[in-house]
Amino acid sequence: FFGPPGTGKTHFAKAIAGALAWRYIEIVPSMLMVNGVEKIGANLRELMEEARVLDEVVLFIDEFEEIASSRDVGDRIDKSITNEFLKQIPLLKQQQNKILLVCATNYIRQLDAAMLRPGRFDCIIPVGGLDREGRTTILEHYLAKLNTGDVQVDRIVEMTAGFTPADIQYLFQQVAHYAFEQELLSKAAYKVTAQTFVHILPKVPPSLGKEVLDEFEKDSVSFSRV
């Protein structure tokens, strides 16, 4: 998975594991640095060897660019880590047990070209912004948890263009905090309305501006394989 931060790449990996009813194991690059930078390659090899004996598991690696960066610009250690991972992928694919490797990056252009060639990953999937339907679904999910008055969902959908799922979650945290403060001040129940969002939204800018979305569209054309 590749795309801007906060667009739900980790959520998709977890959802896949849930749909398959498989175990979900997440790896972040910092886990490989427990013994120092020089040991990252060895720790990666050991971890992948342990993963190969598992069955019915979704193995998720976040911040993939940290262990699969381009060897054209990387230093000696970066190159050795990328080389090690390139060796491990075919070994993983040779296994007969059920293992699904899912990786995620916000910076697909930083990945080594060899990682993106056919034969390494079967699919390279863009995960971008939310359309109106997606924003409506997430907004309604969070609104159901609040004491609301006249909310006008369509209006809020319009106001949250460019918001990622993470942005919307943060927005509702701020709305809930504001509602709590109002109840403390008034000593009465506070109903969240469209005006509440008008007040809070200027404090929560969207992550996906035009420039970010334009770059994502270019990457989708250049790198997607489904």
Side-chain angles (χ1 to χ4, degrees):
F1 294 137
F2 70 91
T7 50
K9 297 181 287 297
T10 302
H11 176 78
F12 279 126
K14 292 179 178 179
I16 291 170
L20 293 172
W22 289 5
R23 285 178 292 169
Y24 172 82
I25 298 176
E26 182 171 344
I27 300 169
V28 293
S30 58
M31 295 170 58
L32 305 173
M33 299 179 64
V34 292
N35 300 319
V37 176
E38 293 284 348
K39 295 290 186 179
I40 294 177
N43 290 341
L44 176 62
R45 181 171 59 255
E46 181 179 345
L47 188 149
M48 296 301 287
E49 288 173 352
E50 293 176 359
R52 290 202 299 271
V53 303
L54 300 175
D55 192 35
E56 295 191 347
V57 62
V58 173
L59 183 65
F60 178 65
I61 302 178
D62 200 7
E63 300 174 2
F64 188 47
E65 70 280 355
E66 295 294 328
I67 59 174
S69 60
S70 173
R71 289 168 293 179
D72 293 337
V73 296
D75 59 21
R76 177 181 59 83
I77 293 175
D78 290 335
K79 291 177 181 178
S80 67
I81 297 167
T82 301
N83 285 334
E84 183 59 46
F85 200 85
L86 286 168
K87 295 175 186 175
Q88 293 298 325
I89 292 178
L91 295 175
L92 195 68
K93 296 184 78 169
Q94 289 169 11
Q95 297 296 111
Q96 298 302 308
N97 41 342
K98 298 175 181 177
I99 303 173
L100 178 62
L101 175 64
V102 182
C103 301
T105 180
N106 300 333
Y107 309 104
I108 193 166
R109 299 181 191 182
Q110 294 182 14
L111 298 186
D112 192 85
M115 290 289 179
L116 304 174
R117 293 181 191 138
R120 294 273 164 46
F121 288 93
D122 298 314
C123 299
I124 302 176
I125 302 172
V127 181
L130 297 165
D131 57 15
R132 286 185 59 89
E133 182 179 358
R135 294 202 304 281
T136 300
T137 298
I138 297 176
L139 287 167
E140 289 177 343
H141 168 75
Y142 285 113
L143 283 168
K145 300 179 180 182
L146 297 177
N147 180 21
T148 58
D150 182 14
V151 173
Q152 301 171 344
V153 176
D154 287 345
R155 184 181 177 189
I156 301 173
V157 171
E158 290 290 343
M159 291 190 290
T160 53
F163 273 55
T164 66
D167 291 336
I168 294 176
Q169 181 180 29
Y170 180 68
L171 169 64
F172 274 85
Q173 289 173 352
Q174 296 304 303
V175 168
H177 183 71
Y178 178 78
F180 177 70
E181 288 181 333
Q182 296 307 302
E183 290 188 352
L184 284 179
L185 290 171
S186 66
K187 308 299 183 183
Y190 177 83
K191 288 191 174 184
V192 173
T193 67
Q195 284 305 118
T196 308
F197 285 91
V198 170
H199 176 73
I200 297 296
L201 272 164
K203 305 175 185 178
V204 187
S207 294
L208 303 181
K210 184 179 184 304
E211 182 178 348
V212 173
L213 290 173
D214 286 347
E215 292 302 307
F216 172 70
E217 289 301 321
K218 293 177 183 177
D219 288 345
S220 297
V221 172
S222 300
F223 298 107
S224 294
R225 184 170 65 246
V226 297

